[in-house]
Amino acid sequence: MDSIKVTGGAELNGIIPISGAKNAALPLMIASLLTDETLTLSNVPRLRDVAQLMQILSNHGVDYSVNGKRTGQDDLAGQTLNLTAREIVDTTAPYELVSKMRASFWVVGPLIARMHEARVSLPGGCAIGTRPVDFFIQGLEALGADIEIEGGYVVVKAPGGLIGGRVEFPRVSVGATHTIMMAATLAKGETEIVNAAREPEVVDLARCLKAMGAKIEGEGTSTIRIQGVPRLHGAHHAVVPDRIETGTYAMAVAITGGDVLLQGARTDLLESALDTLRQTGAEITATDEGLKVYRNGNGIQPADVTTEPFPGFPTDLQAQFMALMTKAGGKSRITETIFENRFMHVQELARLGAQIAIDGRTATVEGVSTLRGAPVMATDLRASVSLVIAGLAAEGETTVSRVYHLDRGFERLEDKLTRCGAQIQRISG
Ligand code: EPU
């Protein structure tokens, strides 16, 4: 297994191109199951999760091709995927595939909508929490599906097709919103999703579905209305920039100091996190080219955050923000409300000298003046990158093992950081 070695202390200066969002690309790829025509997605990041999902979709019968390099493209440009589900040959998503990536459970929406049946393995828990699928089941039942759990599989049937209905989620769920929205595009009549997720990735999926012929209103608000249509067609859609990658690099600059342009980033996708970063002393400016992050080397101010669904502070930036707070000049409180077990980076940050106490859902971080490099490892994607951020600001060498977590969600992290002066390298293991 590869690891990443970071030698801390260097400022970051330069340009980091922001990739397409992983969490938008995955549901967009799944949407290709809704039509027998080709869905072309550009600005798709080159990530392990994307490759894994391609394997899962091919099992259902999706053909795909990847466009080659074009004039003027550099090696960090996103890829263009052409996905065609001319015929769905298998409506089962097996345990071996779904257990590797939770989001693949979302295929249940398009499969039941188009094929009127689906058999999808329950994804199981994961490192950050139990993550049940009860909202998906309630939602599909509200659209007239008949659901049974058999041998670890969710077996969904709707012999005459889905029928539009009212779906009210007990709490905000990104995945359940994606799934019910996709399912409802081909249902008969109108579906109303109440307490829908407002995340930019949901808006991006809705835009793509509309380009495919779906009738959707209200995406980006907490009530989404979908008028079912008999069929969808092919389309071309460019994946929205990754707000979590943007926030991650902004926090890296905030901890090391320096001046970096996050090329292609959009401020409107992460206002809350940027406001918090400003409170810590970082200067953030939106430009035509992206987002400029500057920190002049003065002390980092502490700030408190609570994770919330969009437009609140994202749970996917909680670990990175905690890394930043380990070097703040004072005490900060970080409360996680989305997942019950998303503090696994705390013990690893402590190995670098961070002072963090956990009480239930809240971590209190007492900033220290010096972090010291150490070998660390993490059990999920965002926790892993928080250790890289801390390592960039630590004295000496930090080795982050289990890098495959990072490869799931950060495209060429070490290349992007090296270009800005970081001392970071991958060690093949
Ligand atoms: N929940 C239920 N029942 C359900 C569905 C969700 O109780 O049927 C709970 C979850 O257990 C959790 C909360 O609702 O406590 C919110 O979970 P949500 O469904 O919104 O999460 P998700 O759709 O599984 C996506 C992202 C996550 C991100 C969350 C929250 C993708 C592929 N994943 O997950 O991203 O943390 O939304 O914003 O889009 C990551 O990229 O590292 C990552 C974990």
Side-chain angles (χ1 to χ4, degrees), residues 189-325:
E190 185 174 291
T191 297
E192 185 181 46
I193 306 179
V194 180
N195 201 19
R198 290 184 281 166
E199 268 65 6
E201 295 75 23
V202 170
V203 175
D204 207 36
L205 176 63
R207 288 201 179 131
C208 175
L209 292 170
K210 289 207 259 193
M212 294 165 74
K215 293 203 161 68
I216 302 175
E217 279 173 14
E219 68 274 17
T221 75
S222 50
T223 305
I224 303 179
R225 281 199 184 78
I226 305 122
Q227 197 71 50
V229 294
R231 65 182 298 274
L232 296 181
H233 50 72
H236 178 184
H237 179 84
V239 180
V240 69
D242 196 321
R243 64 193 168 104
I244 304 303
E245 190 194 28
T246 304
T248 299
Y249 289 125
M251 287 178 200
V253 179
I255 199 169
T256 61
D259 194 352
V260 171
L261 171 69
L262 302 175
Q263 199 173 39
R266 270 175 44 190
T267 36
D268 59 312
L269 305 180
L270 72 163
E271 296 284 6
S272 158
L274 295 179
D275 284 348
T276 308
L277 268 179
R278 287 190 183 101
Q279 285 174 41
T280 72
E283 284 177 35
I284 295 166
T285 334
T287 74
D288 289 348
E289 280 184 89
L291 202 81
K292 266 188 98 60
V293 185
Y294 169 73
R295 202 176 79 77
N296 64 6
N298 285 339
I300 300 165
Q301 301 302 314
D304 295 342
V305 300
T306 298
T307 63
E308 280 165 4
F310 191 83
F313 190 96
T315 173
D316 290 345
L317 284 174
Q318 179 257 108
Q320 299 89 316
F321 186 70
M322 193 181 295
L324 173 61
M325 288 298 96

Side-chain angles (χ1 to χ4, degrees), residues 46-335:
R46 292 177 173 78
L47 296 171
R48 254 173 46 117
D49 271 8
V50 166
Q52 178 76 46
L53 183 59
M54 269 331 311
Q55 201 190 331
I56 292 165
L57 294 176
S58 352
N59 185 56
H60 295 298
V62 176
D63 289 334
Y64 66 97
S65 65
V66 185
N67 287 1
K69 197 169 174 176
R70 299 290 192 264
T71 318
Q73 243 179 25
D74 79 358
D75 55 350
L76 286 175
Q79 55 187 341
T80 297
L81 298 183
N82 307 293
L83 307 161
T84 315
R86 195 161 317 286
E87 188 193 349
I88 305 236
V89 293
D90 196 341
T91 53
T92 295
Y95 176 68
E96 304 75 68
L97 296 177
V98 179
S99 58
K100 289 192 184 141
M101 190 186 17
R102 217 192 123 77
S104 57
F105 181 78
W106 305 347
V107 298
V108 71
L111 288 177
I112 183 67
R114 183 166 157 196
M115 304 303 291
H116 305 173
E117 60 167 44
R119 195 170 158 268
V120 180
S121 169
L122 283 163
C126 71
I128 60 178
T130 49
R131 302 178 85 183
V133 295
D134 47 340
F135 305 164
F136 295 73
I137 292 178
Q138 286 161 24
L140 292 171
E141 279 176 345
L143 301 190
D146 199 23
I147 301 187
E148 278 176 41
I149 311 289
E150 279 173 21
Y153 280 75
V154 180
V155 181
V156 191
K157 291 187 183 134
L162 295 173
I163 299 161
R166 185 173 188 276
V167 177
E168 181 166 353
F169 292 126
R171 61 183 286 205
V172 172
S173 163
V174 174
T177 305
H178 283 318
T179 303
I180 300 303
M181 186 164 70
M182 286 192 275
T185 57
L186 295 178
K188 288 189 197 85
E190 185 174 291
T191 297
E192 185 181 46
I193 306 179
V194 180
N195 201 19
R198 290 184 281 166
E199 268 65 6
E201 295 75 23
V202 170
V203 175
D204 207 36
L205 176 63
R207 288 201 179 131
C208 175
L209 292 170
K210 289 207 259 193
M212 294 165 74
K215 293 203 161 68
I216 302 175
E217 279 173 14
E219 68 274 17
T221 75
S222 50
T223 305
I224 303 179
R225 281 199 184 78
I226 305 122
Q227 197 71 50
V229 294
R231 65 182 298 274
L232 296 181
H233 50 72
H236 178 184
H237 179 84
V239 180
V240 69
D242 196 321
R243 64 193 168 104
I244 304 303
E245 190 194 28
T246 304
T248 299
Y249 289 125
M251 287 178 200
V253 179
I255 199 169
T256 61
D259 194 352
V260 171
L261 171 69
L262 302 175
Q263 199 173 39
R266 270 175 44 190
T267 36
D268 59 312
L269 305 180
L270 72 163
E271 296 284 6
S272 158
L274 295 179
D275 284 348
T276 308
L277 268 179
R278 287 190 183 101
Q279 285 174 41
T280 72
E283 284 177 35
I284 295 166
T285 334
T287 74
D288 289 348
E289 280 184 89
L291 202 81
K292 266 188 98 60
V293 185
Y294 169 73
R295 202 176 79 77
N296 64 6
N298 285 339
I300 300 165
Q301 301 302 314
D304 295 342
V305 300
T306 298
T307 63
E308 280 165 4
F310 191 83
F313 190 96
T315 173
D316 290 345
L317 284 174
Q318 179 257 108
Q320 299 89 316
F321 186 70
M322 193 181 295
L324 173 61
M325 288 298 96
T326 61
K327 287 206 69 184
K331 194 187 275 186
S332 57
R333 285 162 59 84
I334 300 177
T335 304

